[in-house]
């Protein structure tokens, strides 16, 4: 399957709208099996630049005999060591994320700062064409570096990385997403892309970088140079890696916005599928370490030792000095901001979805086309940022304002640009600066007449266009800052239009506009509210911010999915939603299993030839193990054995000359619990002789004796909730009545089997209107 075919299939259901008819008119007792074809699954998804085979992750504890013995024999010292190492790794995740975030900020501010100083020098001499050439040339060079690194060295470093992290924490193994090369390209590429003035932020990439750090720490380093310390091997499993990556994603948000509580809530609300109180504390600890690191470097930079970094503090867009006053009449404009945010956010998601599909067609033409696309966007961005300020009229400086006016430096709220002394260009103040400074300027308070309505309209229109065409090019990119810029523009416009009819400052209207558009596009509420409070340091904004976020999310949800969910569907990642479709209550897991091929089972003591045949002719990750052929006792389900464990048995030649059960000590001599936790399923490396084919293997000690099972009469909706909540990879279906001669297991359900789109391929009558609505 090619990339375009995969995108078309995966996107056919992205709107997620429900049918209008009541799906519960049919009872479970009625025959629903009007099959057109068997239940098929295509474990392929677009990861980076190519379609990759997607595997699920084993979050379930494999309770075999080895695990049980290891658990019983652990001393208090070993348990304490394990817990202590968890907290140590959480601390290191926060430490390294804070250091790298500081490095990125320093690099971006200095590179962009010297570029803007050079441009300002030529503008001050009225050499505008020279300034344009330097501005455009520097941006093209920085974009070229970022794009070439992504295209030729780490395609998975493109984009924000948040949808892939969300998929991983949902139980999907996304290949090459958390490698060392990906992390390095993400760091350098983010510096280049943001310093180039592209309409993207470093917030999303920082979340990905934090997750990469967590993954690398958990596995002991890059794949080819791993540290083989014994204590690190305890973390070489999917469960502990999931917890670390959750800490990494929260640390990334904290480092981006300097928002520790917001980072924890972002991980809880947006990316994590599975959560518990112990993980909450470790995540909060990681973000606290990030804040300490950032605070330490900010103190150093305040003394002037960081070049052009400036003297900013932990609060990025401080509006704490503004007196927040609002009355009953202000509820109307605040409501309008929320409604506009929901409508514009959903419209932005819809248009960006179309742009991403177009970019996919362009990117399929080859690597050089990806580079040319990025350079074209950079050229258009540079020309607009430099040229559009010439359309604005010069405005006189207000002598009552304490700030310097006009300014010609790297930053400043009143850029002189082409204006005479005593005048400033309000559009150049917003465009000819870094994105962070643009947000600070448009959030500025007690400056009601600083920006004209025409300049705000130009700014809003430009960043709507740039926000659509920039995301999707082959560079690390984040969505947070572009959406903040767009939202703050229409918020400030509404505040300007209200004039004296409102008591709320125009800068606060810009804050509310940014929050509403983010809620309308990303559909976050709680975490977003806390992030904006920590960004602006004004607790008095809490009531109206909550009100705006709830309205924007409600309006946006009535149109389409969030932007990250749309990207998940575009890439074909088999993400399991929290809420089952209503029609899933009308289908049982037994009926769903009937649409699948027969389950492949193994005996408790199995012949080597049969194991080799099963591994060679199937791609299943696990197999039920059955015991007993006695007419009186019947057959029983002993458990589930993983494919990786079968491969390990064959590689270690753990064979028996006769068909018998092994003793407990025999398996402990050959295998360790830590060794079995490693994922190793490359059957191609195994060579078995003809004489070994006739030997036997006792599978009992390696079998998970407590797999999750469901009765065949359970609804698919209920099974989906169980599968997602526990983080399963396999769910065994057992018969409702165990009759003599009947197998104790009738099938296995996996992630692909429970996806709504795959089910509807086999049972299209269940939701007759859905495919028509999604087109």
């Amino acid at each position: 399957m090619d990339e375009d075919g995969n995108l078309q299939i995966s996107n056919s259901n992205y709107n997620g709208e429900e049918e209008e008819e009541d799906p519960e008119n049919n009872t479970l007792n009625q025959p629903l099996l009007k099959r057109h074809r068997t239940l098929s699954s295509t474990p392929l998804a677009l990861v980076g630049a190519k379609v990759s085979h997607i595997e699920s992750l084993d979050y379930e504890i494999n309770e075999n005999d080895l695990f049980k013995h290891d658990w019983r024999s652990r001393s208090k010292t070993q348990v304490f060591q394990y817990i202590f190492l968890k907290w140590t790794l959480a601390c290191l995740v926060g430490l390294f994320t804070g250091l790298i975030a500081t490095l990125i900020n320093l690099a971006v501010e200095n590179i962009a700062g010297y570029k803007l100083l050079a441009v300002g020098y030529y503008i001050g001499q009225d050499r505008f064409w020279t300034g344009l050439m330097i501005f455009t040339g520097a941006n093209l060079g920085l974009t070229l570096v970022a794009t070439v690194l992504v295209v030729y060295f780490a395609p998975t470093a493109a984009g924000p990385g948040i949808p892939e992290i969300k998929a991983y924490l949902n139980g999907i193994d996304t290949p090459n997403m958390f490698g060392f090369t990906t992390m390095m390209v993400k760091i350098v590429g983010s510096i280049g892309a943001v310093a180039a003035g592209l309409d993207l932020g470093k917030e999303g990439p920082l979340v990905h970088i934090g997750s990469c750090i967590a993954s690398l720490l958990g596995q002991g380093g890059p794949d080819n140079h791993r540290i083989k310390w014994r204590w690190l091997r305890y973390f070489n499993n999917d469960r502990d890696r999931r917890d670390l990556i959750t800490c990494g994603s929260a640390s990334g948000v904290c480092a981006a916005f300097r928002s520790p509580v917001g980072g924890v809530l972002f991980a809880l609300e947006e990316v994590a599928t599975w959560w518990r109180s112990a993980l909450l504390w470790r995540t909060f600890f990681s973000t606290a370490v990030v804040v300490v690191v950032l605070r330490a470097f900010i103190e150093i930079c305040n003394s002037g030792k960081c070049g052009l970094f400036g003297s900013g503090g932990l609060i990025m867009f401080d509006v704490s000095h503004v007196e927040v006053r609002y009355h009953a009449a202000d509820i109307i404009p605040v409501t309008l901001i929320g409604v506009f945010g929901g409508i514009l956010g959903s419209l932005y998601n819809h248009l960006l979805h179309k742009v991403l599909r177009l970019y996919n067609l362009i990117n399929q033409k080859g690597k050089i086309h990806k580079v040319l696309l990025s350079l074209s966007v950079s050229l258009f961005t540079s020309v607009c940022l430099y040229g559009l300020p010439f359309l604005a009229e010069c405005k006189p400086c207000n002598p009552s304002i304490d700030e310097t006016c006009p300014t010609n430096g790297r930053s400043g709220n009143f850029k002189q640009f082409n204006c005479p002394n005593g005048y400033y260009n309000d559009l150049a103040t917003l465009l000819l600066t870094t994105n962070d400074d643009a947000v600070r300027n448009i959030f500025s308070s007690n400056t009601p007449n600083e920006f004209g309505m025409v300049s705000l309209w130009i700014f809003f229109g430009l960043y709507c266009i740039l926000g659509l065409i920039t995301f999707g090019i082959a560079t690390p990119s984040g969505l947070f800052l572009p959406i903040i810029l767009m939202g703050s523009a229409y918020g400030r416009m509404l505040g300007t239009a209200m004039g004296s009819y409102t008591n709320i400052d125009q800068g606060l209207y810009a804050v509310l506009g940014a929050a509403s558009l983010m809620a309308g596009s990303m559909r976050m509420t709680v975490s977003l509210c806390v992030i904006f409070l920590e960004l602006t340091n004004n607790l008095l904004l809490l009531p109206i911010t909550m009100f705006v976020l709830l309205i924007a999310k409600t309006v946006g949800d009535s149109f389409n999915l969030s932007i990250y969910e749309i990207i998940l569907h575009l890439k074909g990642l088999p993400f399991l939603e929290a809420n089952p479709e209503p029609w899933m209550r009308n289908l049982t897991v037994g009926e769903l299993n009937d649409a699948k091929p027969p389950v492949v089972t193994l005996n408790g003591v199995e012949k080597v030839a049969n194991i080799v045949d099963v591994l060679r002719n199937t791609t299943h990750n696990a197999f039920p193990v059955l015991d007993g052929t006695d007419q009186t006792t019947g057959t029983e389900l002993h458990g589930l054995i993983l494919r990786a464990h079968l491969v390990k048995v064959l590689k270690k030649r753990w064979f028996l000359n006769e068909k018998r059960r092994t003793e407990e000590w025999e398996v402990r001599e050959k295998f360790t619990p830590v060794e079995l936790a490693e994922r190793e399923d490359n059957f191609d490396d195994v060579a078995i002789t003809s004489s070994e084919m006739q030997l036997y293997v006792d599978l009992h000690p390696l079998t998970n004796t407590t797999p999750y099972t469901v009765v065949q009469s359970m609804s698919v909706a209920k099974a989906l909730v169980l599968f997602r909540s526990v983080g399963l990879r396999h769910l065994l279906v057992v018969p409702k009545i165990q009759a003599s001669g009947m197998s104790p297991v009738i099938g296995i359900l996996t992630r692909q089997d429970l996806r709504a789109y795959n089910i509807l391929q086999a049972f299209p009558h269940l939701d007759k209107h859905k495919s028509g609505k999604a087109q």
Side-chain angles (χ1 to χ4, degrees):
M1 180 183 296
D2 62 10
E3 293 179 4
D4 186 44
N6 185 56
L7 288 177
Q8 290 174 348
I9 290 175
S10 61
N11 184 48
S12 61
N13 190 29
Y14 96 93
N15 278 329
E17 298 175 0
E18 299 175 0
E19 66 178 31
E20 297 175 356
E21 298 179 2
D22 184 5
E24 297 189 19
N25 289 335
N26 296 325
T27 65
L28 291 175
N29 297 324
Q30 293 177 345
L32 296 174
L33 299 181
K34 304 174 184 178
R35 260 181 245 115
H36 285 201
R37 56 181 72 88
T38 59
L39 181 64
S40 61
S41 61
T42 306
L44 298 173
L46 186 62
V47 181
K50 62 180 181 179
V51 175
S52 303
H53 184 80
I54 295 297
E55 293 282 350
S56 295
L57 297 166
D58 291 308
Y59 288 154
E60 181 185 359
I61 295 178
N62 195 1
E63 292 185 344
N64 52 36
D65 291 348
L66 275 175
F67 172 84
K68 293 174 183 177
H69 178 269
D70 176 67
W71 189 260
R72 291 192 301 265
S73 61
R74 284 188 182 184
S75 64
K76 291 184 178 179
T77 303
Q78 289 176 314
V79 173
F80 173 78
Q81 181 189 38
Y82 177 64
I83 296 174
F84 176 76
L85 290 174
K86 279 187 173 182
W87 285 91
T88 302
L89 289 177
C91 176
L92 292 176
V93 168
L95 176 64
F96 287 119
T97 303
L99 291 174
I100 291 177
T102 303
L103 170 66
I104 292 175
N105 282 321
L106 288 175
V108 169
E109 293 292 331
N110 279 280
I111 294 173
Y114 284 112
K115 175 189 71 177
L116 292 173
L117 284 177
V119 172
Y121 171 77
Y122 289 103
I123 290 176
Q125 296 182 341
D126 294 337
R127 298 169 63 182
F128 296 110
W129 286 107
T130 305
L132 174 62
M133 293 177 62
I134 292 177
F135 186 70
T136 305
N139 289 344
L140 286 174
L142 291 168
T143 305
L144 180 64
V145 171
T147 305
V148 169
L149 287 175
V150 169
V151 171
Y152 290 96
F153 295 96
T156 51
I162 293 178
E164 289 81 1
I165 297 170
K166 190 172 180 177
Y168 183 90
L169 297 178
N170 190 255
I172 305 165
D173 187 13
T174 46
N176 305 317
M177 276 304 298
F178 305 108
F180 181 77
T181 303
T182 300
M183 183 184 72
M184 296 306 298
V185 170
K186 199 86 174 186
I187 294 171
V188 180
S190 296
I191 294 172
V194 176
L198 294 173
D199 184 26
L200 44 83
K202 53 185 179 295
E203 292 76 18
L206 273 173
V207 177
H208 190 186
I209 291 168
S211 300
C212 289
I213 293 171
S215 177
L216 291 171
L217 285 173
Q219 69 183 24
D223 292 334
N224 299 329
H225 302 89
R226 288 191 182 183
I227 299 174
K228 299 297 183 181
W229 294 341
R230 179 175 177 79
W231 58 269
L232 266 179
R233 299 184 69 187
Y234 285 108
F235 295 89
N236 195 15
N237 61 80
D238 293 335
R239 287 175 62 86
D240 288 318
R241 194 178 181 209
R242 171 188 62 184
D243 290 353
L244 279 174
I245 288 178
T246 304
C247 292
S249 62
S251 299
V253 173
C254 175
F257 293 110
R258 305 168 199 174
S259 171
V261 180
V264 175
L265 293 176
F266 173 84
L268 171 61
E269 181 181 11
E270 183 62 23
V271 296
T273 298
W274 190 82
W275 196 264
R276 67 184 192 278
S277 58
L279 180 59
L280 173 68
W281 283 107
R282 283 202 302 276
T283 306
F284 185 67
F285 178 57
S286 295
T287 58
V289 174
V290 173
V291 170
V292 171
V293 173
L294 293 176
R295 181 73 233 178
F297 275 94
I298 285 172
E299 290 295 327
I300 296 174
C301 292
N302 284 339
S303 62
K305 299 178 180 179
C306 298
L308 299 178
F309 181 72
S311 58
L314 278 176
I315 309 302
M316 293 181 67
F317 312 123
D318 194 354
V319 293
S320 58
H321 59 282
V322 184
E323 182 180 355
V324 179
R325 294 178 301 159
Y326 40 86
H327 302 291
D330 295 321
I331 197 69
I332 297 176
V334 170
T335 303
L336 286 176
I337 286 182
V339 173
F340 288 160
I343 295 174
L344 293 177
S346 58
L347 178 61
Y348 176 74
N349 292 355
H350 175 75
L351 295 176
L352 187 60
H353 164 253
K354 303 299 182 184
V355 172
L356 291 177
R357 291 183 63 85
L358 174 62
Y359 279 8
N360 179 67
L361 298 176
I362 298 174
N363 292 336
Q364 287 180 20
K365 298 181 181 296
K367 295 181 178 180
I368 190 64
H369 287 81
K370 296 181 182 180
V371 176
L372 292 176
L373 177 61
S374 298
L375 294 178
S376 300
V377 171
S378 177
L379 179 62
F380 176 78
T381 302
S382 300
V383 172
C384 289
L385 294 181
Y386 190 90
L388 288 179
F390 286 100
L391 301 178
E393 296 182 357
C394 294
K395 304 187 70 173
C397 293
N398 188 348
S400 63
I401 296 178
D402 296 334
E403 295 184 54
T404 304
C405 180
T407 59
N408 289 309
R410 177 189 63 86
S411 60
N413 205 22
F414 300 93
K415 286 287 186 72
Q416 183 174 2
F417 194 59
N418 61 335
C419 297
N421 292 332
Y423 289 80
Y424 71 96
N425 188 310
D426 58 346
L427 192 53
T429 302
L430 296 175
L431 297 182
L432 210 60
T433 184
T434 62
N435 288 338
D436 283 350
D437 282 337
V439 175
R440 291 189 186 95
N441 293 339
I442 203 168
F443 279 4
S444 62
S445 53
N446 299 321
T447 54
N449 300 315
E450 178 182 359
F451 303 106
M453 188 63 79
V454 175
S455 296
L456 288 174
W457 271 110
I458 294 175
F459 178 81
F460 175 67
L462 173 63
Y463 272 94
C464 285
I465 296 172
L466 295 180
L468 289 172
I469 68 174
T470 305
F471 188 82
I473 63 175
T475 60
S477 56
L479 277 170
F480 284 95
L481 211 60
I483 292 177
I484 288 177
L485 287 168
M486 285 186 287
S488 60
Y490 75 74
R492 184 113 191 176
M493 283 192 293
L494 181 59
T496 303
M498 292 296 297
S500 59
Y501 293 100
T502 181
N503 297 296
I504 303 176
D505 188 90
Q506 292 182 11
L508 301 185
Y509 269 108
V511 174
L512 295 176
S516 69
L517 190 59
M518 288 189 73
S521 176
M522 299 181 178
R523 311 295 156 77
M524 296 186 295
T525 52
V526 180
S527 59
L528 202 56
C529 184
V530 175
I531 286 174
F532 267 88
L533 290 180
E534 292 182 297
L535 274 177
T536 58
N537 196 30
N538 197 325
L539 192 60
L540 295 176
L541 280 174
L542 179 61
I544 53 176
T545 302
M546 294 172 61
F547 185 67
V548 164
L549 292 176
L550 289 173
I551 293 177
K553 183 184 186 306
T554 303
V555 173
D557 283 338
S558 64
F559 290 102
N560 52 25
L561 299 175
S562 73
I563 185 61
Y564 291 135
E565 290 175 307
I566 290 176
I567 295 173
L568 282 171
H569 283 281
L570 274 174
K571 290 178 175 290
L573 294 168
F575 186 85
L576 293 181
E577 302 292 345
N579 300 313
E581 298 288 346
W583 50 262
M584 288 183 176
R585 298 189 185 95
N586 296 331
L587 185 69
T588 66
V589 293
E591 294 168 332
L592 184 63
N593 184 74
D594 289 341
K596 296 185 59 180
V599 62
V600 179
T601 62
L602 296 171
N603 294 315
V605 181
E606 188 60 87
K607 213 170 187 179
V608 174
N610 293 339
I611 296 176
V612 171
D613 182 64
V614 166
L615 293 177
R616 184 174 292 156
N617 296 318
T618 68
T619 58
H620 305 323
N621 181 67
F623 306 91
V625 176
L626 307 182
D627 256 341
T629 57
D630 196 313
Q631 294 293 332
T632 57
T633 60
T635 306
E636 71 172 20
L637 173 63
H638 183 73
L640 193 70
I641 189 165
L642 299 180
R643 182 185 189 91
H645 293 172
L646 292 175
V647 173
K648 199 172 290 291
V649 164
L650 297 180
K651 285 187 175 181
K652 289 208 167 190
R653 299 295 197 277
W654 194 55
F655 303 147
L656 303 172
N657 292 322
E658 56 183 349
K659 191 174 183 179
R660 66 175 178 87
R661 295 281 294 264
T662 56
E663 300 294 334
E664 192 174 336
W665 60 268
E666 292 182 80
V667 67
R668 293 205 306 269
E669 282 187 344
K670 203 73 174 179
F671 302 98
T672 64
V674 175
E675 184 180 26
L676 290 180
E678 298 177 354
R679 302 179 66 182
E680 181 183 6
D681 55 2
N682 188 6
F683 178 65
D684 297 335
D685 299 338
V686 180
I688 305 296
T689 64
S690 57
S691 60
E692 290 173 331
M693 289 286 194
Q694 306 307 314
L695 301 180
Y696 294 90
V697 175
D698 181 16
L699 302 180
H700 294 94
L702 305 178
T703 301
N704 178 13
T705 56
T706 58
Y708 283 87
T709 61
V710 293
V711 182
Q712 66 182 115
S713 58
M714 179 183 286
S715 70
V716 173
K718 201 170 183 179
L720 174 59
V721 172
L722 172 66
F723 193 97
R724 185 184 187 275
S725 300
V726 184
L728 300 179
R729 185 171 184 176
H730 314 96
L731 188 61
L732 297 181
V733 182
V734 298
K736 187 175 183 179
I737 301 176
Q738 181 67 53
S740 177
M742 179 182 290
S743 174
V745 58
I746 62 176
I748 297 183
L749 296 181
T750 63
R751 171 179 299 272
Q752 295 286 349
D753 301 327
L754 295 172
R755 292 189 67 203
Y757 177 79
N758 291 337
I759 295 175
L760 290 178
Q761 296 303 295
F763 307 97
H765 68 284
L766 288 176
D767 201 20
K768 296 178 182 178
H769 303 291
K770 193 171 191 67
S771 59
K773 286 185 178 184
Q775 293 299 324

